[in-house]
Amino acid sequence: MNLININPNMEPENHYINRSGWLRAAVLGANDGILSTTSLAIGVAAASITREPILLAAVAGLVAGALSMAAGEYVSVSSQADVETADLKREKEELENMPESELEELTHIYVQRGLNKELAKQVAIELTAHNALEAHARDELGINEITQANPLMAAFASAVSFIIGGLLPLLVAIFAPIKQMVFYQYGFSILFLALSGILAAQAGGSHTLKAVFRICIWGTFAMAMSALVGYAFGVQTT
């Protein structure tokens, strides 16, 4: 019988799914921080001839946005966690009250994934003996320790990343020439968004150019609409 030789020095494969929870919140927060703060600054700059209103709008947007992102992410992810907890509780009760039915259900799942019925039944029996709830959570409900919702982590990642993203256009609002503020805000924000897209793509192992192109296109659209609002009102703030 041929045995498969496993090289003990083989390097483990790199996977990125374990980063999905915090990465999604961090990318969303950073991009939203850049876009929201820049759009506010551009909208006010388009209708203002002084720096103070632009700074006020940027700071207010930064503070309100960070708190809003944290609260929204916490509530959203908490709702997901509540659903997962309820599903796990219901599954635990079913395992206690209908173990045979749950074993057949697990067997059917493995058959659908390509195992023959005998092997599927054996796998289901062994996984049930090892940890029945874990097996059903992973293979029936799609819940595991990597993708399971973590409200506090998501809220913290969103708030911190929003602040980091929002500080960048705020610095532009402080130092850029007031007469060309709109153009400086747009130019630097596109640079910031591109860098954000590159970092997110590298952290998640995805296509860099696609990520950068996507965020820059939508960022341009958002800032253009904000500038149009400012120019449309045409109120010169002094």
Side-chain angles (χ1 to χ4, degrees), residues 8 20 164 220 233:
S20 62
I164 293 173
T220 298
F233 280 95

Side-chain angles (χ1 to χ4, degrees), residues 49-68:
I49 59 174
T50 59
R51 189 180 302 274
E52 287 74 14
I54 304 171
L55 293 177
L56 178 60
V59 172
L62 178 60
V63 174
L67 295 176
S68 176

Side-chain angles (χ1 to χ4, degrees), residues 88 95 127 130-140 143 145:
L88 290 173
L95 285 168
L127 289 178
H130 175 70
N131 191 323
L133 184 60
E134 180 185 85
H136 282 269
R138 180 183 61 247
D139 296 322
E140 181 183 347
I143 300 173
E145 61 182 7

